[in-house]
Amino acid sequence: MIKEKAKKKWDLTRKMLEITDDEYNGVTQEDANLRFIKTKLQIAVYYLRMLDEHNCEYEVPWNKEQFKWLLRKPAGDTKKQKAKDWCHQCCLIRDKACASWSYEEATA
């Protein structure tokens, strides 16, 4: 998948994961948890987008309902751990696929 298509595929998800000003400036533990969750998912989506750019086949470690559940309040330790696990799974998928990617130097 070319870079633009891969970016478009994940645009809606990336918008959902944007940290709002209220979340960023929040001082409660729940605000901190939500920032952590969104940050981990942003990283996971970045890895999946890289896979799309290289036309790799993979299985997303979450489904739509699980994703929505993770972003709903209250955001506790269970949700933080789940976001951390998904990010790690996406990293492993990317690392496994990365071995077969060819990195050609761009010539100017």
Side-chain angles (χ1 to χ4, degrees):
M1 188 179 290
I2 60 173
K3 205 171 202 173
E4 293 80 29
K5 284 185 180 180
K7 188 176 178 182
K8 283 183 183 179
K9 177 181 175 182
W10 291 103
D11 273 349
L12 179 61
T13 305
R14 286 180 38 222
K15 287 185 190 295
M16 289 175 63
L17 295 176
E18 287 178 357
I19 299 173
T20 65
D21 288 341
D22 289 342
E23 293 166 348
Y24 186 77
N25 295 324
V27 294
T28 66
Q29 183 62 44
E30 187 160 329
D31 291 329
N33 289 346
L34 198 54
R35 283 191 304 268
F36 178 86
I37 290 167
K38 285 188 172 186
T39 301
K40 285 296 182 183
L41 291 177
Q42 287 171 353
I43 295 167
V45 167
Y46 171 74
Y47 292 148
L48 296 178
R49 202 174 89 212
M50 286 176 68
L51 291 165
D52 286 340
E53 289 174 7
H54 288 87
N55 288 324
C56 296
E57 293 199 19
Y58 60 90
E59 188 173 322
V60 179
W62 61 79
N63 64 36
K64 188 177 180 180
E65 292 306 314
Q66 290 173 320
F67 190 79
K68 287 180 181 179
W69 167 79
L70 202 65
L71 296 177
R72 279 194 300 255
K73 291 185 178 183
D77 289 339
T78 304
K79 291 183 178 182
K80 280 176 55 177
Q81 185 61 43
K82 194 57 137 171
K84 190 175 169 183
D85 291 343
W86 288 347
C87 184
H88 183 67
Q89 288 174 14
C90 291
C91 180
L92 293 175
I93 294 167
R94 192 259 342 238
D95 288 349
K96 185 177 179 182
C98 181
S100 66
W101 296 348
S102 62
Y103 295 97
E104 297 177 8
E105 291 292 324
T107 55

